[in-house]
Amino acid sequence: MSEELTDPTKGYLSTRILTVQLKRYDPEKDREPHWQEFKVEARPIDRVLDVLMKVKWDQDDTIGLRKSCGQGICGSDAMRINGQNNLACKMLVQNLKSDKITVEPILGLPVIKDLIVDMKPFFDHYKSIMPFLVNTDPAPTTERLQTPAQRERFDEGTKCILCACCTTACPPFWGNREYVGPAAIVNAHRFIFDSRDQAASERLEILNDAEGVWRCRTVFNCTSACPRGIKVTQLISEVKRALITGVLDMPQEAEVLA
Amino acid sequence: MSTPTYHRFETIIVGSGGAGLMAALHSSKEVGTAVVSKLYPMRSHTGAAAGGIAAALSNIEEDSWENHAYDTIKGGDYVVDQTPVEILCREAVECIYDLEHMGLPFDRTPDGRISQRRFGGHTRPVPGNPSKREPVMRSCHAADRTGHMILQTLYQQCIKQGVTFFDEYHMLDLIMVEGECRGIVAIEIATGRLHVFHAKSVLLATGGFGRMFKVSSNAFALTGDGPAIAYRHGIPVEDMEFYQFHPTGIYRLGVLLTEGCRGDGGIMFNGKGERFMETYAPNMKELASRDVCSRSIYQEVRAGRGVSGKDFVYLDIRPSTINKYKSSPIHRDGLEVDDHFIESRLSESLELSRTYLGIDPLKEPMPIQPTAHYAMGGTPTDFDTRVFRNAAGEVVPGLYAAGETACVSVHGANRLGTNSLVDLVVFGRRAGKAMAQYAKSHDFKEIPKDAAVPTKKMIEGALAKPRTEPWVRIRDELQTVMMDDCGVYRTAEGLANARQSVASLKKRYELTGIQDKGTIFNTGLLEYLELGCLIDLAAATVASAESRKESRGAHSREDFPDRDDVKHFNHTFATKDGDFDVKIDTRAVDVIYIEKDGQQVPKYPLEVRKY
């Protein structure tokens, strides 16, 4: 291998001092949320999660945040970093524009402590759109058939990890917490456009409600906030279109297996 | 701390990963069931499993569950219980169809069936030449997000069925009375309140404990709470010396690049640009089993053939490389691999490399090194997931374990890729059914009024102790010594050092307390208690590794480089003995005999394990 290759050790060699502005709130001590500043030494390759854990482990063990997989698949550590929703484990120090970062809880859900919010209202919205396959036909002895095109049709929504980055970046949701929000619509889309599912009309009915899909003002915040790169706004538009036209844009009959 | 809140369910499931949710689905159909988990649903590490789930569906290539069983037993270097393996491989097929019917979005073949691909160690006899074996397409996949899709689908079905969840409740104790399990004690993380869950049957499905090692693919949450708490109650842990290091972890970070990369033709190169697996596994090359690949990387690095002499090698999935070596299965159909093919099959790995290494795998090879990945060992169970109290196989009434937490043992000394997800669904399902059955035929038995007192005292102790040193330092030292002295390669000297270090770390751990004295989301307290679990399991791991004076599967003793089927064809049971000591017993491997020419012979005869 003679070509110029990236040296992975480089990101570990240097460090810089970051200033972390953290929004703190402990209901046992504080009447109001307040900002606290920490200085911490970080390597270019560190995740923002590593930076926060370093502050917690070395300086102040009382900081509250959730974490688990550390690799962007479990959805535990959604937070607002420099004003943008993201997973703390998916942002690297080397990609930060300055040596100062602000970290605060995602907006629109009740704060329990520091960066930890109450996820129940978010999951309640998710549960409201029947997020499960409905098919009342007797199951065959092997798999139900589905063409690659039919499978591809709903792929985008299956990437969702329910981290709430999209919903809590959505201005209509901030204004009205009864709105089901982008994440719930993405998950409805995942089933509405699954050729094996039989409850599309019921889900569309739910989303046609006053607190449903029409609350979306096409702000696109959800799409830019999604750490999984899901085209959230597009999926929402497809649901709107299905409601307006009464037709589901699904792969053609000719492609469908007998 | 106020009086604990009391709950009563016929079955309690601890953990909401694949095994826990599968058990919950089956148990809740018949009896009152609740899932208690320290994480929100969908946050469990099943979600990180990428590559696939093995089942001999024969959708693309002719295959059989017997082939799968043969591979699993050989892959585990024969210290595998054969009856449960046959159950695993047979029931895998119906479990896959179950998952598909639940809505799991498997990738499809052109004719609409579940798509399958190759994975390390999965083979079949070569058609027309059955004495030789070749890789077979057995891994059913949903992009490279198979685990995520399983977790998603099972959680969706739990919502549909109205399963009761106690989200973010962290189990801290088992309620054991007269040798039976009658419930658990958990802390509600959001309030700090203690809860007593009275039950007829309890399932431990808390996942693995890879966080005892420095470089690990495991989530922060994987601290072995289930096996450790059972261990403190005198319940053994089995085969702890068998810990799998996955060959393709992202350099230093340890996050996994799926084995699917190699299944789809990815090639590993050393610093000299040599495809070194040709030396170590001439037949299977990169698709040899994981322990073999991990040791090969270590050998290359030791010989100074790491990249730039450093401690990593390359995994190359560039289409140009794959096409040059004709290493993808699609070359057999006269096709070539292109960027789009790699993007669609391995999007998660591409994303991980781009995010964490800043490397685009379509343009550059990825720097990798082995990472602590999977515990073959754990709480011992029978094939109905009932927990053993001793090496003689007596069960603990009311206590069950499944998934990575458990040692059935179907993985033996080394697990094959894609067999963990099968294990979760097959034994999760068996657990749910067995627990419901037990609950229906037994009455609730009394639990003491003070069932939560030991937990309360443990918490009050941790909060009252002065912070003599940061507990994080103890954790870091534990992870370092386990990685260095109880990792891919082991020696008597290194293990003795690890044993002494773990014992002294335990003493230091017991002396120091924590900074956060609050009750709401005291994650400092919980991480501190999790560290206690890791220390106990590390002690059992080291003692088990010291007792096995041979090399087998993932357990490589440099001072005993060969497999010893005379002395060590058995399982290791480690039981807590006082504060620091570990008692080691052995248990015979379950071997199936068949009749051949009027004689009883082993169905799966011992072979030298070569790939």
Side-chain angles (χ1 to χ4, degrees):
Chain A
M1 258 169 240
S2 51
E3 69 258 74
E4 275 295 303
L5 297 174
T6 309
D7 178 4
T9 62
K10 245 173 84 180
Y12 290 90
L13 297 178
S14 61
T15 58
R16 67 199 235 215
I17 303 293
L18 290 185
T19 306
V20 181
Q21 292 276 357
L22 195 63
K23 199 167 203 177
R24 302 293 309 264
Y25 174 66
D26 181 347
E28 292 180 280
K29 290 185 219 147
D30 307 321
R31 301 186 75 173
E32 293 279 318
H34 58 95
W35 292 95
Q36 191 177 355
E37 190 176 291
F38 297 92
K39 300 260 187 221
V40 57
E41 197 175 356
R43 300 170 303 189
I45 207 77
D46 285 335
R47 301 163 284 195
V48 170
L49 179 64
D50 297 316
V51 173
L52 294 172
M53 293 320 292
K54 211 165 172 220
V55 173
K56 179 174 167 65
W57 287 332
D58 296 346
Q59 300 182 40
D60 186 347
D61 201 11
T62 69
I63 295 168
L65 75 156
R66 290 189 179 102
K67 63 175 188 314
S68 188
C69 76
Q71 58 184 78
I73 192 73
C74 81
S76 296
D77 58 349
M79 48 190 80
R80 209 166 138 87
I81 302 163
N82 290 338
Q84 292 270 333
N85 282 1
N86 204 338
L87 302 176
C89 62
K90 280 206 93 173
M91 267 183 102
L92 298 193
V93 167
Q94 63 194 15
N95 299 330
L96 294 172
K97 288 196 181 75
S98 85
D99 287 343
K100 221 174 170 176
I101 46 170
T102 62
V103 184
E104 55 193 311
I106 46 178
L107 303 177
L109 293 170
V111 176
I112 299 176
K113 178 185 178 182
D114 297 335
L115 300 170
I116 298 166
V117 298
D118 181 3
M119 295 293 287
K120 190 173 178 298
F122 174 79
F123 273 89
D124 285 346
H125 285 314
Y126 169 70
K127 289 174 191 167
S128 76
I129 54 85
M130 306 169 65
F132 39 78
L133 189 86
V134 177
N135 187 323
T136 53
D137 297 343
T141 50
T142 63
E143 66 268 63
R144 292 194 171 100
L145 298 180
Q146 188 167 54
T147 64
Q150 288 174 322
R151 163 65 183 81
E152 183 62 27
R153 183 64 188 86
F154 65 95
D155 187 63
E156 198 69 5
T158 66
K159 295 176 188 165
C160 177
I161 56 173
L162 298 175
C163 65
C165 275
C166 61
T167 296
T168 61
C170 171
F173 178 76
W174 296 337
N176 172 10
R177 296 179 194 182
E178 297 303 308
Y179 169 37
V180 292
I185 303 172
V186 163
N187 283 280
H189 181 285
R190 178 252 171 274
F191 289 102
I192 291 169
F193 292 93
D194 186 334
S195 58
R196 301 169 296 175
D197 185 78
Q198 298 170 336
S201 54
E202 284 168 72
R203 285 192 199 89
L204 287 169
E205 193 60 38
I206 294 166
L207 293 176
N208 205 15
D209 182 85
E211 308 301 348
V213 73
W214 306 114
R215 292 267 167 204
C216 167
R217 292 283 175 269
T218 332
V219 187
F220 280 94
N221 272 15
C222 49
T223 303
S224 40
C226 179
R228 307 275 302 152
I230 299 172
K231 300 179 190 86
V232 183
T233 316
Q234 185 187 317
L235 301 189
I236 297 174
S237 305
E238 288 176 11
V239 173
K240 287 179 181 167
R241 201 179 314 134
L243 276 168
I244 293 168
T245 62
V247 181
L248 290 181
D249 175 19
M250 301 275 272
Q252 296 301 301
E253 278 298 309
E255 298 168 39
V256 178
L257 297 160
Chain B
M1 220 173 271
S2 53
T3 328
T5 311
Y6 175 85
H7 309 264
R8 199 165 91 152
F9 290 90
E10 289 184 272
T11 69
I12 287 290
I13 286 157
V14 188
S16 57
L21 294 185
M22 195 70 173
L25 277 178
H26 285 276
S27 168
S28 65
K29 276 182 195 156
E30 301 186 54
V31 296
T33 300
V35 179
V36 173
S37 173
K38 66 180 180 180
L39 297 175
Y40 243 97
M42 293 292 299
R43 308 299 190 222
S44 299
H45 213 51
T46 299
I53 174 166
L57 305 183
S58 302
N59 276 2
I60 300 180
E61 291 175 332
E62 198 50 46
D63 197 6
S64 68
W65 70 261
E66 288 92 344
N67 287 343
H68 187 185
Y70 169 90
D71 290 335
T72 302
I73 291 164
K74 178 184 172 189
D77 221 346
Y78 299 93
V79 286
V80 177
D81 288 337
Q82 298 179 359
T83 310
V85 165
E86 292 205 335
I87 290 171
L88 178 88
C89 300
R90 263 200 320 261
E91 294 187 6
V93 176
E94 53 186 84
C95 278
I96 295 289
Y97 294 138
D98 266 0
L99 289 171
E100 197 283 330
H101 298 155
M102 290 178 195
L104 199 134
F106 284 111
D107 292 340
R108 300 290 171 154
T109 62
D111 59 351
R113 316 201 64 167
I114 294 169
S115 179
Q116 298 187 276
R117 66 176 158 210
R118 301 189 307 189
F119 236 74
H122 291 280
T123 68
R124 63 172 180 176
V126 176
N129 185 7
S131 64
K132 285 194 112 178
R133 296 187 82 90
E134 64 176 14
V136 67
M137 295 194 199
R138 184 180 294 148
S139 164
C140 310
H141 53 91
D144 53 351
R145 303 195 294 280
T146 313
H148 173 230
M149 303 283 208
I150 289 177
L151 195 58
Q152 211 174 49
T153 303
L154 294 175
Y155 182 51
Q156 290 159 355
Q157 291 297 309
C158 284
I159 293 173
K160 189 177 183 182
Q161 216 167 286
V163 175
T164 305
F165 280 86
F166 289 86
D167 300 328
E168 299 192 318
Y169 280 59
H170 189 131
M171 173 184 65
L172 293 175
D173 201 8
L174 287 172
I175 302 173
M176 298 290 297
V177 186
E178 294 163 6
E180 294 183 12
C181 182
R182 297 184 187 170
I184 66 162
V185 180
I187 184 170
E188 182 183 359
I189 302 176
T191 61
R193 199 171 295 138
L194 288 181
H195 293 252
V196 166
F197 291 88
H198 188 181
K200 293 179 183 172
S201 44
V202 170
L203 177 70
L204 302 176
T206 61
F209 32 85
R211 282 279 151 186
M212 71 168 69
F213 297 99
K214 184 144 202 98
V215 177
S216 171
S217 66
N218 281 203
F220 288 99
L222 290 176
T223 50
D225 308 0
I229 289 168
Y231 181 72
R232 290 172 191 162
H233 281 283
I235 293 163
V237 278
E238 180 181 359
D239 288 349
M240 294 295 280
E241 66 275 33
F242 299 129
Y243 198 92
Q244 180 172 80
F245 287 76
H246 191 293
T248 63
I250 286 183
Y251 175 69
R252 284 184 75 162
L253 185 62
V255 167
L256 212 67
L257 298 166
T258 172
E259 190 169 322
C261 290
R262 285 170 287 141
D264 276 331
I267 291 181
M268 298 199 291
F269 293 106
N270 64 18
K272 296 168 84 177
E274 296 162 341
R275 184 185 189 182
F276 56 89
M277 286 311 295
E278 284 177 334
T279 320
Y280 299 95
N283 191 27
M284 296 292 284
K285 300 185 186 76
E286 282 80 8
L287 290 177
S289 79
R290 291 176 174 174
D291 57 328
V292 175
C293 292
S294 288
R295 277 194 296 274
S296 306
I297 295 170
Y298 257 71
Q299 294 285 356
E300 290 300 298
V301 166
R302 274 190 182 179
R305 293 192 294 270
V307 173
S308 311
K310 295 193 176 117
D311 57 347
F312 65 93
V313 296
Y314 280 129
L315 171 63
D316 194 342
I317 58 168
R318 289 176 293 184
S320 56
T321 306
I322 295 174
N323 289 332
K324 182 176 160 198
Y325 285 86
K326 301 228 171 292
S327 49
S328 163
I330 72 167
H331 289 119
R332 265 185 283 168
D333 303 326
L335 301 170
E336 293 267 284
V337 170
D338 59 17
D339 285 2
H340 176 73
F341 181 83
I342 298 293
E343 284 276 7
S344 65
R345 305 261 296 189
L346 300 168
S347 59
E348 292 295 316
S349 292
L350 264 62
E351 167 84 7
L352 290 171
S353 176
R354 286 167 184 156
T355 304
Y356 297 115
L357 291 161
I359 288 173
D360 181 355
L362 295 174
K363 300 200 173 76
E364 274 191 62
M366 300 175 278
I368 52 147
Q369 61 184 185
T371 179
H373 183 52
Y374 185 88
M376 275 69 76
T379 302
T381 72
D382 67 7
F383 54 70
D384 277 322
T385 74
R386 300 184 302 168
V387 168
F388 291 147
R389 73 165 74 253
N390 53 31
E394 292 174 77
V395 301
V396 181
L399 188 61
Y400 299 75
E404 191 174 346
T405 295
C407 180
V408 184
S409 123
V410 289
H411 306 305
N414 171 65
R415 174 175 69 73
L416 293 185
T418 71
N419 265 356
S420 63
L421 293 177
V422 195
D423 178 357
L424 300 182
V425 296
V426 168
F427 290 102
R429 187 171 78 152
R430 291 183 79 87
K433 287 180 179 175
M435 291 169 76
Q437 197 54 43
Y438 182 84
K440 282 202 281 192
S441 54
H442 289 79
D443 292 324
F444 278 104
K445 292 190 186 161
E446 259 184 59
I447 56 169
K449 288 210 160 50
D450 58 355
V453 168
T455 309
K456 200 174 155 202
K457 283 192 176 148
M458 176 174 74
I459 294 172
E460 285 168 351
L463 294 174
K465 268 185 272 191
R467 188 170 178 261
T468 52
E469 64 175 318
W471 60 264
V472 179
R473 195 190 300 157
I474 298 170
R475 182 203 58 196
D476 290 349
E477 286 180 36
L478 176 77
Q479 291 173 336
T480 303
V481 74
M482 289 302 287
M483 194 81 192
D484 292 348
D485 289 333
C486 198
V488 172
Y489 281 105
R490 296 155 178 185
T491 61
E493 201 188 353
L495 290 170
N497 178 54
R499 172 165 32 87
Q500 287 152 10
S501 303
V502 173
S504 89
L505 288 169
K506 187 173 167 81
K507 281 183 200 146
R508 281 165 53 193
Y509 172 78
E510 281 172 355
L511 282 177
T512 193
I514 50 169
Q515 203 181 343
D516 190 348
K517 312 289 183 193
T519 53
I520 296 174
F521 259 97
N522 189 337
T523 52
L525 170 69
L526 296 176
E527 283 185 288
Y528 168 83
L529 296 175
E530 288 173 334
L531 173 59
C533 292
L534 288 176
I535 293 174
D536 285 351
L537 294 179
T541 302
V542 172
S544 304
E546 283 191 291
S547 77
R548 187 171 288 276
K549 296 182 172 60
E550 64 159 353
S551 290
R552 183 187 295 271
H555 175 69
S556 266
R557 288 282 301 252
E558 293 193 86
D559 38 359
F560 299 97
D562 299 320
R563 191 172 87 189
D564 183 346
D565 289 327
V566 178
K567 281 194 200 137
H568 290 292
F569 184 59
N570 50 32
H571 297 291
T572 311
F573 275 58
T575 313
K576 194 166 186 290
D577 184 12
D579 266 357
F580 298 105
D581 291 334
V582 182
K583 184 169 145 277
I584 298 290
D585 295 295
T586 59
R587 176 176 165 85
V589 175
D590 166 6
V591 175
I592 299 175
Y593 287 89
I594 50 169
E595 199 171 296
K596 202 176 174 184
D597 308 326
Q599 282 198 320
Q600 291 288 310
V601 295
K603 186 172 176 187
Y604 302 94
L606 287 169
E607 288 174 28
V608 179
R609 191 160 152 268
K610 265 194 196 151
Y611 284 100

